[in-house]
Amino acid sequence: MKMKSHVLSLLFCAAAACGMAAESLSLDGSWSFRFEEGKPIEEAAKGDFVATDSIPVPACYDMMPKWYMKRGTGLYRRSFTLAKPMKDAVLVVDGMGVRAKFELDGKDLGLHPYPYARLEIPVGPLAAGEHSVFAAVDNILSWPRVKLARPYYDFYFYGGFYHGVKLVEREPKVFVRTLDYKTGKVEVKVENGGDSAVTLAFDGGQEVNVKLSDGRAAVTVPDFRLWSPDSPNLHRLSVQLPTLNFKLSTRFGIRQIEARDRKIYLNGRELFLKGFNRHESDWLNGAATGEALMLQDIQRLKALGGNFIRGAHYQQCERFLDLCDENGVLVWEESLGWGNGQDYTNNNFPPSELKDAEFCEMQVKETRDMVRASFNHPSVIIYGFLNECASHKKECKSLVDTLAETIRAENPGRLVTFACNITDGDICCTNMDIVSFNAYPGTIPMVPGDNAQFRKSVSSNFNGIVAKFRARYPDKPIMVSESGCGGEFGRRGEYASPNTEEFQDEYLTDIFETLWANPDVVGFSIWQMNDGRTRERFGGKAVSAMFGGSIAGVFDRLRRPKLSAETVRKYFNLKP
């Protein structure tokens, strides 16, 4: 039976008409829906489809009972009413998977192949009255239609809208970068600001007239307060552009992050990173994690004494970064990639992406867009890319160097790295600010031996890798970006057999004892925070395939703490 498209009635005050900050129209809620199993966008996308169901946005359709774990295309449609016109609308999508095609009032808005990314899709002028938006979202991992999401990636790609859809009036972006944390001096950059005069106000205080030069101006924030994990102070900047009749607003933090003399420094003080790799994933809802779950994860991290989250392995959503800003959590954000160019991945899933020009171009675009989207989030101190890429190959170094320079050209106020698992033949860390490596001695493959052998393997392996990198890079900070092992919740045994909670606790204890005693190590992020889905029945051979997911979390798939959580708390609190 044909279902009517859902209608949203909205009042809207256009920014240019009112001389105010642009407002947004949330398109979240119930949409008309139809699922076309097995069909990619190219075969299924029809804006006049006959709806069979309704579905909420945000949500992952392949987590719904009717389409559970199915691959295909979800067709979405809803109507909305504008009480006033929009002069230059933009459709904003905060994460989707894995490709999406959009239409508004029948106008083609293009196909967007960037999973997890924040999409800002130009719409143009919209008149007052009723409008209809259509989307086709597929989750089929098929080369060459899908290049950024491969079946072998060690996490599950969900279909749907992860964190919502909204319509906004286009406005110039404002970027704020710390120039001197000691004096509160910042650089304000207004997109397309040119050499115009603007009026600035910090934290609702006195307005100051400033002349931009090529869109930029250096100013000192009055009564500034530094941002740090212990004191996550935030400021708000308002920018009035009289010539454009715009009033812009953004939130930011004043802090300086540096890598020098083998250490990392935040606001001039030595910093040790201690935390988790975290997937934007929930066992019941997939990548459509709600704000409450995000905050729960942050509070669990802080309760254990941690200060750091590596957002593995893709761009982080806007609200999660807001919460990290507000709660004092340091973040490594990276663009989407996993094992690219490695023989052990591309032998099963050819071709090598690193030799594909379009893949490389897409990597540059998604990385640049990620940096621009999170520019004003003080929590983000590290940008990364291409987790465990083939960093011993020349084609990989070419792309890694390009991505590093792309980040630095957009924002020189962050550190750049990638998680390396080629510890002998790596040629890509030369241009990184931090040497970061992943290692799983004794568990990949699973050959732990007895307790003493296991401890020796962990110690000799980690210390040996650190020593090799130190000899190669005398002045760079070195951190362990991944290590950990499986521990199935509730599986106990006094012998500490593999995948018991005791085994996981023993392994993490050995790692902590080794890394905490090595003065060359500046950080450790545990793999991983929570159990979660990986390849399920897709993606070839994997140890985790026997469970349909990873059980390496210190918290299980329902976020319950395992035995190792108290060990993590103990060691995190031994480091300042």
Side-chain angles (χ1 to χ4, degrees):
M1 181 173 68
K2 185 171 182 177
M3 299 179 66
K4 293 183 179 179
S5 297
H6 292 82
V7 179
L8 176 66
S9 295
L10 298 158
L11 296 175
F12 182 79
C13 179
C18 302
M20 300 173 61
E23 297 181 32
S24 66
L25 307 176
S26 173
L27 297 179
D28 292 354
S30 186
W31 291 53
S32 298
F33 185 77
R34 180 186 183 93
F35 184 68
E36 295 286 351
E37 186 172 359
K39 294 183 180 180
I41 284 176
E42 289 78 2
E43 298 176 17
K46 296 180 180 179
D48 60 350
F49 69 92
V50 177
T52 57
D53 299 274
S54 63
I55 194 170
V57 170
C60 295
Y61 55 72
D62 45 10
M63 287 290 96
M64 298 294 179
K66 190 170 183 178
W67 313 290
Y68 189 70
M69 305 301 289
K70 291 184 177 181
R71 298 286 184 179
T73 296
L75 303 178
Y76 295 75
R77 186 176 58 237
R78 77 170 302 162
S79 298
F80 60 93
T81 302
L82 291 181
K84 292 187 177 181
M86 299 179 72
K87 296 187 69 174
D88 191 5
V90 177
L91 188 69
V92 178
V93 180
D94 199 0
M96 62 81 203
V98 296
R99 295 187 306 158
K101 173 182 171 60
F102 298 92
E103 296 176 6
L104 204 153
D105 297 336
K107 175 185 176 183
D108 185 7
L109 300 182
L111 192 148
H112 302 270
Y114 294 94
Y116 288 96
R118 180 180 174 85
L119 306 177
E120 298 187 0
I121 304 167
V123 173
L126 287 177
E130 186 171 304
H131 301 273
S132 178
V133 59
F134 162 76
V137 186
D138 86 11
N139 65 349
I140 301 174
L141 308 183
S142 175
W143 183 278
R145 282 196 297 253
V146 177
K147 293 195 171 181
L148 288 182
R150 304 300 309 274
Y152 65 78
Y153 285 16
D154 197 21
F155 49 95
Y156 197 84
F157 282 97
Y158 299 94
F161 294 110
Y162 300 162
H163 301 292
V165 180
K166 62 183 177 181
L167 205 60
V168 304
E169 186 80 69
R170 184 192 298 276
E171 63 180 17
K173 297 183 183 298
V174 178
F175 304 100
V176 183
R177 180 168 66 92
T178 301
L179 296 177
D180 187 347
Y181 74 93
K182 296 178 181 178
T183 64
K185 189 176 183 180
V186 301
E187 178 190 75
V188 176
K189 179 182 177 182
V190 180
E191 185 180 44
N192 300 321
D195 297 327
S196 60
V198 298
T199 303
L200 307 181
F202 292 97
D203 304 318
Q206 183 177 354
E207 295 182 345
V208 179
N209 295 321
V210 173
K211 180 68 180 297
L212 299 179
S213 176
D214 193 25
R216 305 171 188 261
V219 296
T220 299
V221 180
D223 301 320
F224 75 94
R225 295 156 292 143
L226 293 178
W227 185 95
S228 71
D230 294 328
S231 301
N233 298 306
L234 296 165
H235 292 280
R236 180 160 292 279
L237 168 65
S238 297
V239 182
Q240 182 79 41
L241 291 88
T243 55
L244 299 178
N245 200 24
F246 266 113
K247 186 174 183 180
L248 312 174
S249 179
T250 191
R251 195 173 69 172
F252 68 98
I254 297 175
R255 61 103 184 95
Q256 180 173 293
I257 189 74
E258 300 173 275
R260 54 180 169 82
D261 304 325
R262 304 184 177 186
K263 303 293 183 183
I264 299 175
Y265 295 89
L266 179 67
N267 301 331
R269 299 180 62 182
E270 188 177 327
L271 174 68
F272 192 93
L273 300 174
K274 46 188 180 177
F276 293 97
N277 289 267
R278 176 186 179 272
H279 271 298
E280 192 65 57
S281 180
D282 172 59
W283 193 260
L284 298 178
N285 298 297
T289 53
E291 183 175 339
L293 193 65
M294 296 177 195
L295 183 57
Q296 288 168 16
D297 282 350
I298 288 172
Q299 290 181 351
R300 289 187 184 99
L301 169 78
K302 301 284 281 189
L304 294 181
N307 62 10
F308 176 70
I309 284 177
R310 178 180 174 220
H313 298 288
Y314 33 74
Q315 182 175 339
Q316 301 298 287
C317 82
E318 185 77 14
R319 187 56 189 144
F320 181 70
L321 294 180
D322 284 341
L323 291 170
C324 290
D325 292 343
E326 295 161 11
N327 290 276
V329 174
L330 303 162
V331 176
W332 165 334
E333 186 179 27
E334 65 189 33
S335 50
L336 178 60
W338 195 95
N340 303 106
Q342 295 275 23
D343 293 338
Y344 58 80
T345 59
N346 292 141
N347 283 346
N348 291 324
F349 291 93
S352 171
E353 303 95 337
L354 301 180
K355 295 181 179 180
D356 185 88
E358 185 181 32
F359 172 84
C360 294
E361 291 170 2
M362 293 173 73
Q363 282 287 329
V364 172
K365 181 185 185 306
E366 69 159 345
T367 301
R368 181 185 294 115
D369 289 349
M370 173 188 72
V371 174
R372 290 177 178 174
S374 57
F375 194 104
N376 291 339
H377 289 283
S379 57
V380 180
I381 60 167
I382 296 171
Y383 284 126
F385 39 74
L386 295 178
N387 173 72
E388 296 184 354
C389 57
S391 64
H392 57 303
K393 298 181 178 180
K394 291 181 180 179
E395 62 266 27
C396 189
K397 179 168 172 53
S398 176
L399 180 55
V400 164
D401 287 347
T402 298
L403 294 174
E405 294 313 309
T406 296
I407 293 170
R408 292 181 178 123
E410 291 294 328
N411 188 346
R414 261 66 176 233
L415 304 179
V416 179
T417 190
F418 73 99
C420 171
N421 70 341
I422 307 292
T423 54
D424 286 328
D426 168 76
I427 59 174
C428 290
C429 288
T430 306
N431 199 23
M432 300 299 103
D433 297 314
I434 308 171
V435 176
S436 309
F437 71 89
N438 301 349
Y440 295 86
T443 63
I444 302 180
M446 184 61 76
V447 285
D450 63 23
N451 298 60
Q453 291 171 320
F454 200 19
R455 191 177 309 113
K456 182 178 180 181
S457 174
V458 170
S459 176
S460 61
N461 189 286
F462 278 112
N463 286 333
I465 293 172
V466 171
K468 289 177 184 177
F469 277 127
R470 174 55 65 230
R472 236 177 291 168
Y473 304 108
D475 299 320
K476 291 182 186 288
I478 300 171
M479 71 172 290
V480 177
S481 39
E482 282 185 30
S483 193
C485 72
E488 186 178 6
F489 183 84
R491 187 179 181 200
R492 297 291 185 93
E494 61 274 13
Y495 187 64
S497 300
N499 292 326
T500 59
E501 290 192 51
E502 287 87 354
F503 182 84
Q504 183 187 53
D505 189 54
E506 176 189 344
Y507 190 50
L508 288 176
T509 298
D510 291 344
I511 295 173
F512 279 125
E513 285 291 322
T514 299
L515 300 185
W516 264 223
N518 191 319
D520 272 324
V521 175
V522 301
F524 172 39
S525 54
I526 299 167
W527 188 266
Q528 58 182 331
M529 189 171 199
N530 308 300
D531 292 349
R533 298 183 191 278
T534 54
R535 305 175 179 93
E536 281 287 346
R537 297 177 63 149
F538 309 97
K541 299 177 182 178
V543 173
S544 59
M546 68 181 74
F547 300 103
S550 170
I551 57 169
V554 170
F555 298 88
D556 81 337
R557 65 184 186 179
L558 300 179
R559 265 62 172 183
R560 297 174 296 186
K562 300 177 187 176
L563 183 64
S564 59
E566 285 307 311
T567 294
V568 172
R569 187 195 311 273
K570 170 187 171 182
Y571 284 95
F572 276 2
N573 282 285
L574 289 176
K575 282 287 186 181

